Amino acid sequence: LSEYAPPPNPNSDHLVAANPFDDNYNTISY
Amino acid sequence: TSPPPASNAGNGQAGLALYVYEYLLHIGAQKSAQTFLSEIRWEKNITLGEPPGFLHSWWCVFWDLYCAAPDRREACEHSSEAKAFQDY
Amino acid sequence: TSPPPASNAGNGQAGLALYVYEYLLHIGAQKSAQTFLSEIRWEKNITLGEPPGFLHSWWCVFWDLYCAAPDRREACEHSSEAKAFQDY
């Protein structure tokens, strides 16, 4: 994969493709 | 142990990958979506948003505004709201 | 990154598919990219933009501005330019 690829292990095993403008969206900063 | 709380991908590149995966599934490109997860080595379970998904929705807004720009609006279709936003 | 002329992508949805294909190739997900073209039955030949491609570049701008918003900037990393833009 190239340098632009996403990190292989986002910080949780369950990801939710929520709309970032939803109120309960929590941006977890790395 | 209950699974850790479901979370969004949280940062830029992981977020984009998550929404591209969602986009592929919502447009019916299931094989591409599965191949994508394995190529980026994401063994995750993923909860999708409502169809058509965030990337598609965000792109529609972006493209509408892009086409409504004063120097492009003659050539491209755009909504009156996007035109009003640009003029504002 | 200035977006390519609107004519390239024809309309919004074909444009998004084009930039998702480009994104898949530039991150190194070749198999996903080829599978995607065949699943959407895209026959036209495609000239790629420079890495990382349009979708990735504009997502970075979007995400930076999103994170620099006044009610999110404490929780997320963002650039000083994005903060200045939001404050302006």
Side-chain angles (χ1 to χ4, degrees):
Chain A
L1 288 171
S2 82
E3 65 194 284
Y4 303 113
N9 54 344
N11 62 330
S12 95
D13 286 337
H14 181 192
L15 293 173
V16 180
N19 182 329
F21 294 104
D22 283 350
D23 296 341
N24 56 358
Y25 182 86
N26 56 336
T27 46
I28 300 162
S29 51
Y30 277 64
Chain B
T1 54
S2 68
S7 74
N8 40 67
N11 84 337
Q13 293 329 316
L16 177 54
L18 180 61
Y19 294 126
V20 164
Y21 171 73
E22 179 191 41
Y23 163 81
L24 294 173
L25 282 183
H26 281 322
I27 65 164
Q30 271 83 4
K31 276 193 292 185
S32 315
Q34 293 320 321
T35 309
F36 177 56
L37 277 198
S38 65
E39 283 194 284
I40 64 175
R41 294 190 294 281
W42 274 18
E43 291 86 32
K44 313 280 163 202
N45 62 332
I46 292 173
T47 306
L48 298 187
E50 290 300 304
F54 179 67
L55 183 64
H56 187 284
S57 313
W58 170 67
W59 177 266
C60 290
V61 171
F62 161 73
W63 192 258
D64 192 12
L65 288 172
Y66 174 77
C67 291
D71 54 348
R72 268 190 292 271
R73 64 183 53 157
E74 302 319 318
C76 321
E77 232 178 279
H78 56 276
S79 67
S80 51
E81 293 84 354
K83 182 177 176 307
F85 183 90
Q86 289 279 11
D87 293 345
Y88 172 73
Chain C
T1 51
S2 67
S7 56
N8 274 18
N11 70 351
Q13 297 329 313
L16 179 52
L18 182 68
Y19 299 128
V20 164
Y21 170 72
E22 180 189 47
Y23 163 79
L24 294 172
L25 279 184
H26 282 320
I27 65 165
Q30 270 85 5
K31 277 192 294 201
S32 316
Q34 292 320 320
T35 310
F36 177 55
L37 283 196
S38 62
E39 282 195 285
I40 63 171
R41 289 187 291 284
W42 186 296
E43 277 95 28
K44 287 176 256 175
N45 64 339
I46 292 172
T47 308
L48 291 187
E50 287 300 303
F54 179 66
L55 183 64
H56 187 285
S57 309
W58 266 76
W59 176 266
C60 290
V61 171
F62 161 76
W63 193 258
D64 193 11
L65 288 172
Y66 173 85
C67 289
D71 54 349
R72 277 190 284 269
R73 62 182 56 157
E74 301 317 317
C76 323
E77 251 175 76
H78 57 276
S79 68
S80 51
E81 293 83 356
K83 182 177 178 306
F85 183 91
Q86 289 279 12
D87 293 344
Y88 173 72

